[in-house]
Amino acid sequence: MEEDGLLPRSTLLPPKPHMIGEDDLIQSDSSVTPVVVFSTLVAVCGSFGSGCSSGYSSPAESGIMEDLGLSTAAYSVFGSILTVGGIIGSLINGKVADLIGRRGTMWLSELFCIIGWFSIAFSKGAWSLDLGRLSLGIGVGLIAYVVPVYIAEITPKNIRGSFTSVYQFMICCGLSLMYFLGTVVSWRTLAIIGAVPSIIQVFALFFIPESPRWLAKIGREKELEASLQRLRGRNADISQEAADIKNYTEIFQGNSEDRFLDLFQKRYAYSLCVGVGLMAFQELGGTNAISFYASSIFEAAGFSSNIGTISMAIIQIPATAVSVLVADKCGRRPLLMVSATGMCLSSFLVGLAFCLQNKFTSILVYIGIQGFSVAYGLGMAGLASVVMSEIYPINIKGSAGSLSTLVKWSTSWIVSFTFNFMAEWSEAGTFFIYSAVCCLGVVFVAKLVPETKGRTLEEIQASVAHF
């Protein structure tokens, strides 16, 4: 890497007299067209639905337990089985996206989500609730990979970071919507509302183009050019961009096939370390512990759980919106470092507050948790997925993406499962551990994560794989 984490230029292709980004072709790779905007909005319907899935169990808890007579243990199974489904979805998401395309995978994921939502809405007992929640998890596991990858593959390089970050922004919006609507509607109505984004996306997918990169991967060159022309605008000159996509893809494909063991070749070690590492640090810093158990954390500190959790739901949206707005101006690395540093300091403040156990404990815990939410939203929440969607070469993207999202869901489960046991041991110690993990995350970003803004996907992928 060179200069403050910037990637070295790839020597994969010889210099050309007209390169993407020069004045004469700037419209091909820098213009924001209505088709790009619409396609992104359709794709993030999936992430909005993911947020609804994550946010559903908390407001629905009392209603479901009362109406169906579920025990606390039975409802815990219902809540946690979403993660099991996510792990299943992660095992297959990359391969499915390579086999049936990005649009086909989004369509399949929403079928799982629709089945899951309606199974929950019309449940008469625990088994149908759990099957519905499992189906939702599989759909969300597919979405976690295919949505950021699709957006990254269709957007011009100068807006790719911001547009891909919308993925996480919509998750926050979906989660907050479930929390607020859950206070005024029944759990069955809430489940039907949760299905609406999925139903919208199923129909809207027929009106957006397939990813040009996937079309290049499977050799459908005429469709690649038609899709790229539609995305860049009728009058845009796409010849150079289309040629680069085809040439890079051919060379990537010629080096190795997308088999799992191929991931562990030396040339892919760096990109795999960055992608998997970011997914792990995103979760191991305690994100889901705070998200899932915020009420009990506030109660343990003597602070109002209602005020605390409502504040969290509200504050995450503008924090993530800031990340969307500045991702392509400030770059990925600075935002990730600021985010991880803020998470580190906020967790340390919460741990210190529990150590002190005085009249300031409650307000310090409140400030620390809100600070963590803001810091997480600024970078780690969305930009980890942005970098993951950018950094893997097309020939290993399916297997590498599956591994990355599998690590994300697995570490998410570990954190959510262990939190109560760790908190019983020591609340202060638990947050000091999270702070230490976030500190390691700062070092990881500073030393290993490259800056990818302003580069085409092909340039990034060729550089990190040393082609």
Side-chain angles (χ1 to χ4, degrees), residues 84-99:
V84 176
I87 291 173
I88 295 171
S90 297
L91 290 171
I92 62 172
N93 55 20
K95 283 295 184 184
V96 171
D98 283 347
L99 284 172

Side-chain angles (χ1 to χ4, degrees), residues 1 5 7 270 273-274 333 391 442-451:
M1 279 182 289
L7 287 168
Y270 174 57
C273 180
V274 171
R333 271 168 51 88
I391 205 166
V442 176
V443 177
F444 177 83
V445 173
K447 296 295 184 182
L448 287 177
V449 177
E451 182 53 73

